[in-house]
Amino acid sequence: MPPPADDERPAWLAQQRLDIGRRIRDARLWANLSQEELAERIGVERRTVVRIELGTTSPPLDRILWIARALDVSPASLLPDASP
């Protein structure tokens, strides 16, 4: 069964996306990288990094792992607590 459309997803899911995006942005800034530099390091276009940081798209697990490696942080540090 396909996942629900964006307008059918629960609010907590959108909030989790925003939290992940903020954590990635904060780690990127701490690493003193521009969005363009991070994009180059993980092999995507800058607009993909923008969308992830704004929470408009969910990065797949593999991309989170690449981002964590590029920023020299643990993948867990990019993910918010998923408990309700």
Side-chain angles (χ1 to χ4, degrees):
M1 174 171 17
D6 278 344
D7 58 345
E8 297 172 357
R9 292 185 180 167
W12 64 264
L13 187 60
Q15 187 59 51
Q16 293 284 313
R17 270 197 224 166
L18 284 171
D19 290 346
I20 291 169
R22 286 183 189 127
R23 288 169 182 249
I24 291 171
R25 183 196 64 223
D26 291 347
R28 176 181 59 76
L29 293 173
W30 182 258
N32 200 29
L33 292 176
S34 68
Q35 289 174 333
E36 184 68 37
E37 290 167 323
L38 177 57
E40 288 174 14
R41 287 186 180 196
I42 64 172
V44 299
E45 294 184 16
R46 178 183 167 271
R47 68 181 174 197
T48 300
V49 172
V50 170
R51 290 175 181 156
I52 291 170
E53 288 185 358
L54 292 175
T56 58
T57 189
S58 298
L61 178 58
D62 288 355
R63 184 150 302 136
I64 291 173
L65 296 173
W66 276 107
I67 291 169
R69 181 173 282 223
L71 297 174
D72 196 27
V73 298
S74 73
S77 71
L78 301 177
L79 301 174
D81 182 11
S83 62

